Amino acid sequence: MQMLEAAADKAGLGGVLDKAKELGQNAIGPIFQKAMEKVVTETLEWLGPEAGKIAAAKMAEKYSTVRLSQQETAVKAASEAIVQFKDLMMDFCGDAVENPQTAFTKVSVLLFRACNAAADRAVRSTLSTMAGGCACCIKACANVEDLIEKVKEVIQASLKENVVKTLHNKMVPKQMTDKLVWGKAEDDIGEPKNKSSPQQQEMP
C-alpha cells in the first residue's frame, strides 16, 4: 500500500487515491454496521444462557452442595443482567458507519461489562437459592469475589471466540477481524453520536 501511495503521489494522483480510499471506507461502514447489529443481537441471546451455565458449572466444581440443577436460576439471572446493555450497544453500532474499528472497540467494552454483570448476578443468585445454612457457610468461608472473577474470565474468553466466529458468519473477512481492537470493561467510551433510546445504563 505504501508503494502504491508513493507512486500515486509521484504521478500527481495522490488525491485520486485518497478519494478511492474514502469511497471504500464509506462502503465498508454501513455494511459493518449491519453486521455488528446482528452480532450484538445474536451474542446477547447466546451470552445469558452461556454465562449462567458457566457460573453454575464453576460453582458445582468448587462446592459439592451446588447442583447443576440450579443452572436455571443462574441462566435467568445472567440473562436479566445483560438486557440493560443492548440499547447502548446498538447506538454505538450506528457509529460504525463512519469508523467501524472504533465502534467495535466501544461495543466490545459494553460486551465485557455485560459479561461482568452476568457473572456477578449469576453467582450471587445461585448462592441465594441454596439452603440457608449451607449458603451462609459458603459466604462466610469462601471468597465470593474471587469466584466471580474466575467466572468472568471464562465468560469473556468464550465471548471473544463467539463474536469473531459470528462476524465471520456475517461475511466480515478475517483480514478485518484480525485488526479489531478489543477494549476493557473499565474503559471510558463516552457517548454514541446518536442515541435512539431515552435512557442508557451506566457500568454497574
Side-chain angles (χ1 to χ4, degrees):
M1 176 60 75
Q2 290 180 342
M3 292 179 62
L4 179 59
E5 291 174 346
D9 287 337
K10 187 174 181 179
L13 297 175
V16 175
L17 181 59
D18 289 341
K19 186 63 176 178
K21 288 164 64 179
E22 180 184 342
L23 290 173
Q25 179 67 42
N26 290 341
I28 292 173
I31 295 173
F32 191 76
Q33 176 198 5
K34 295 299 182 184
M36 275 301 301
E37 289 174 346
K38 292 179 180 178
V39 167
V40 165
T41 298
E42 293 180 17
T43 298
L44 293 184
E45 290 175 353
W46 163 88
L47 181 58
E50 183 71 7
K53 291 175 185 176
I54 290 173
K58 284 295 178 184
M59 293 179 71
E61 288 176 7
K62 194 170 184 64
Y63 306 110
S64 60
T65 51
V66 178
R67 298 287 180 258
L68 286 176
S69 60
Q70 291 172 294
Q71 179 175 293
E72 185 176 342
T73 297
V75 167
K76 184 175 185 294
S79 298
E80 291 175 349
I82 66 175
V83 169
Q84 61 179 317
F85 296 94
K86 184 175 182 179
D87 287 342
L88 189 53
M89 288 184 195
M90 287 298 189
D91 288 342
F92 275 114
C93 284
D95 292 354
V97 172
E98 296 181 10
N99 195 324
Q101 295 206 24
T102 298
F104 174 83
T105 300
K106 293 183 177 182
V107 170
S108 75
V109 169
L110 293 172
L111 285 171
F112 284 141
R113 291 181 188 178
C115 283
N116 293 349
D120 185 274
R121 190 80 64 83
V123 171
R124 295 184 190 280
S125 294
T126 302
L127 283 174
S128 69
T129 62
M130 297 169 60
C134 179
C136 290
C137 287
I138 290 180
K139 290 178 180 178
C141 302
N143 189 328
V144 176
E145 295 300 327
D146 282 351
L147 176 58
I148 292 173
E149 287 302 316
K150 290 177 182 178
V151 173
K152 286 179 183 179
E153 290 177 8
V154 177
I155 295 174
Q156 288 185 5
S158 184
L159 169 78
K160 292 181 75 171
E161 293 179 3
N162 185 77
V163 168
V164 171
K165 179 181 178 181
T166 305
L167 282 170
H168 290 164
N169 290 340
K170 303 304 178 188
M171 306 308 291
V172 176
K174 187 175 185 298
Q175 295 92 321
M176 187 170 187
T177 58
D178 286 346
K179 295 179 180 178
L180 293 175
V181 177
W182 292 79
K184 298 179 181 179
E186 62 270 21
D187 289 348
D188 182 0
I189 57 176
E191 296 289 338
K193 292 187 176 181
N194 296 293
K195 297 174 69 172
S196 59
S197 50
Q199 294 183 345
Q200 303 294 351
Q201 298 292 332
E202 298 296 332
M203 179 178 175

